[in-house]
Amino acid sequence: GEEVSISLSPFSLVRNCKFQSTYPSLGSLSDFKIFKISLFAQGRCYYFGIKGENEHQAEEERSRWVLDISRAMRLVTQSLFPPYTISCDPLQSVASTHRRLMAGYLIHCDDGYVASILYCELHPHCEDKAKMVMYENEACQTPVMDVYITERSICC
């Protein structure tokens, strides 16, 4: 196969999967234990197959790969966040935070290859929509954007 170099982002997912059919160019895939890495921000998905001496060995090896990749992605993602705790208390010096329900850091996908760590606060609904305000940091001095959430909002 072709060698590909990818960067795993917080917007990636690794999981076991199974092919149900035979692809003539590849032969029978039922002998392989398959896992995939989905890169959501880039709209790509890569499949990997493990073939062992027996089915049990292949299953164990696939599980090791999936767990190791998942662990690496989790550790990198966690390392992006500054130390913080989720807050429900407003900042007395910032009036816009007085209706805060909760606030904390989130990862925002800027494009397919760049992510930002933004401090976000959720406000209660008003006139059929809730608002999430994103700031540069927990001082809440520099708003980056507002996101309005309605019953028709789609999370993607």
Side-chain angles (χ1 to χ4, degrees), residues 137-149:
N137 57 43
E138 65 218 46
C140 301
Q141 296 296 313
T142 309
V144 175
M145 73 176 84
D146 293 345
V147 175
Y148 291 93
I149 304 165

Side-chain angles (χ1 to χ4, degrees), residues 9-142:
S9 80
F11 305 102
S12 302
L13 176 68
V14 59
R15 65 185 309 173
N16 294 340
C17 62
K18 184 176 184 178
F19 286 119
Q20 299 294 331
S21 61
T22 301
Y23 292 85
S25 62
L26 299 175
S28 175
L29 293 176
S30 62
D31 295 338
F32 290 89
K33 295 298 178 185
I34 309 292
F35 69 94
K36 70 178 178 178
I37 299 176
S38 301
L39 307 174
F40 296 112
Q42 298 166 13
R44 295 196 174 171
C45 191
Y46 294 94
Y47 292 87
F48 301 88
I50 307 292
K51 188 172 184 179
E53 292 178 20
N54 58 55
E55 186 172 343
H56 180 73
Q57 181 198 27
E59 183 69 46
E60 283 187 357
E61 175 130 359
R62 174 179 66 174
S63 292
R64 276 194 300 275
W65 275 96
V66 169
L67 287 172
D68 288 347
I69 294 168
S70 296
R71 186 177 303 113
M73 288 174 17
R74 184 175 56 253
L75 290 172
V76 169
T77 298
Q78 289 172 342
S79 75
L80 300 173
F81 289 96
Y84 79 99
T85 58
I86 293 175
S87 172
C88 296
D89 299 323
L91 301 176
Q92 295 307 317
S93 61
V94 183
S96 63
T97 68
H98 291 183
R99 295 195 70 224
R100 169 188 293 179
L101 293 175
M102 115 172 111
Y105 281 96
L106 293 175
I107 299 176
H108 178 265
C109 183
D110 297 336
D111 64 33
Y113 301 95
V114 177
S116 299
I117 305 300
L118 299 174
Y119 192 76
C120 303
E121 68 180 7
L122 180 63
H123 290 255
H125 74 277
C126 180
E127 299 179 9
D128 296 328
K129 59 186 171 189
K131 180 171 75 168
M132 184 166 59
V133 182
M134 299 182 181
Y135 298 97
E136 282 186 358
N137 57 43
E138 65 218 46
C140 301
Q141 296 296 313
T142 309

